[in-house]
Amino acid sequence: MTKEMHKPEAKSRRAFVGFAISLAGAMLSGCSDLPRPFRPEAKGIDLRSVSYTTTVGVRPVDGAGPQDPYALPDAMAEELSRHGVPVTSDPGVPSRLLLVPQATVQPGAMGRERVDIAWRIIDEERSGQTLLTQTLYFPDGSWRLAKEGVLREVSQEAAPDIATAIMGKPSDPDPFPAFPGARLVVLPIRPAPGDASESVARALDTELRLASIPLTEIPAEGDLLLRGRIITTPRVSGYQQVQITWSVLRANDESEVGTIRQSNKVVAGSLDGPWGATATLVARGAVFGVLDLLARPEAAEARG
């Protein structure tokens, strides 16, 4: 019998930085806040409300788990990402929904053990529901050792149904209603401190693909460009401001459609090296901003 229980969210393995986001541009009269991300209004989880901006965090097994607590979360996160779910196994990235596997192990016959896994989705109010229950049989000790074949079998079997339960059946709406058929060209991020030009670019590519935004390297008439700049201000009393600007431009003449700005006060020098989970946060905010910007009525009026 599978027990239904959950533990508090694991503590972060990495530090992360949150960035305030605002929009501006030639066709916008000023800056405005982005809509607040998904938050349930009542007990229970309305999975129909889940969208690209709701990151799902896969957590370690609750119960009889592998020796490496992050082996299964990492494998499941990788598999779910292939099915279009915005997912992370890094507890350093904030997640409004948690996917928690609950497992029990029972001895079986002929050197095999039975593993029952209930995949529960839990929201920030700690309400939860079971999306899927698996029963699998492995050679004795394989589950505990988290052997590659075991993790692959578990994640590949469960991911399609979990992805459908969370995201619904796949659809293919135009991501840029004001620019139908447009593709996006991501230009190099310059200037950028630390490894941001590489790490943020990688994270941005991942987040754009998860959002089903069509990308291209060679722009054509009607396509859009995304240009990023990351600047840090001089240090004052041990802190400095990080200012990130994303400009959306028309590919045909590089005229500006609009701008997304992110900023935050950080410990001086903290982003001079690897950006880690911060790159994901910045990229996710940028994509959220681009989608919001290009869905606005003002954008449609100014697209010509």
Side-chain angles (χ1 to χ4, degrees):
M1 180 180 297
T2 302
K3 298 179 181 179
E4 294 190 359
M5 62 183 73
H6 60 77
K7 297 185 292 189
E9 180 177 347
K11 291 184 179 179
S12 172
R13 289 180 289 176
R14 301 189 183 99
F16 62 87
V17 181
F19 285 81
I21 309 170
S22 62
L23 305 180
M27 76 290 190
L28 300 178
S29 59
C31 297
S32 60
D33 294 332
L34 292 176
R36 192 164 183 265
F38 165 78
R39 178 185 176 91
E41 296 180 355
K43 292 296 181 181
I45 303 174
D46 183 3
L47 291 176
R48 293 170 301 174
S49 299
V50 178
S51 68
Y52 162 71
T53 58
T54 304
T55 303
V56 178
V58 187
R59 294 298 180 255
V61 173
D62 189 357
Q67 290 176 335
D68 179 356
Y70 287 97
L72 184 59
D74 289 346
M76 180 55 77
E78 181 178 352
E79 194 64 32
L80 284 174
S81 69
R82 295 193 179 102
H83 292 271
V85 178
V87 64
T88 178
S89 58
D90 185 347
V93 178
S95 303
R96 294 186 177 275
L97 291 177
L98 304 180
L99 183 63
V100 183
Q102 301 169 348
T104 59
V105 180
Q106 303 177 37
M110 302 180 65
R112 298 179 71 79
E113 60 189 10
R114 170 175 168 166
V115 180
D116 294 296
I117 309 171
W119 291 93
R120 283 182 61 79
I121 195 80
I122 300 171
D123 67 14
E124 54 189 350
E125 302 293 338
R126 312 310 296 179
S127 299
Q129 65 189 67
T130 299
L131 302 182
L132 175 73
T133 300
Q134 293 175 281
T135 297
L136 306 104
Y137 294 86
F138 302 115
D140 286 342
S142 297
W143 171 250
R144 183 67 176 161
L145 295 175
K147 292 189 175 180
E148 183 179 351
V150 169
L151 299 179
R152 186 185 309 113
E153 182 175 346
V154 171
S155 58
Q156 289 184 350
E157 179 185 270
D161 289 338
I162 291 175
T164 298
I166 293 175
M167 303 296 291
K169 293 185 177 180
S171 60
D172 190 24
D174 195 321
F176 305 141
F179 295 84
R183 301 170 301 171
L184 191 66
V185 179
V186 180
L187 302 176
I189 303 171
R190 295 173 184 156
D195 74 349
S197 59
E198 294 83 20
S199 62
V200 175
R202 286 194 301 270
L204 187 61
D205 182 77
T206 298
E207 298 299 321
L208 288 167
R209 293 180 190 281
L210 286 174
S212 300
I213 294 177
L215 304 174
T216 183
E217 294 183 359
I218 302 176
E221 185 77 18
D223 287 338
L224 299 167
L225 312 177
L226 182 63
R227 175 178 294 156
R229 292 169 52 87
I230 304 176
I231 299 174
T232 54
T233 63
R235 306 180 182 197
V236 177
S237 300
Y239 292 90
Q240 60 189 151
Q241 196 78 13
V242 179
Q243 300 172 343
I244 306 173
T245 302
W246 301 97
S247 299
V248 180
L249 314 171
R250 297 175 182 83
N252 59 341
D253 60 3
E254 296 195 11
S255 61
E256 185 175 286
V257 174
T259 300
I260 301 99
R261 294 192 175 96
Q262 299 166 288
S263 65
N264 196 29
K265 185 178 182 181
V266 300
V267 175
S270 60
L271 296 180
D272 288 348
W275 276 48
T278 301
T280 299
L281 295 175
V282 169
R284 186 165 298 135
V287 174
F288 187 9
V290 168
L291 289 170
D292 185 74
L293 175 71
L294 296 178
R296 294 185 170 209
E298 300 97 316
E301 293 171 3
R303 71 173 179 261

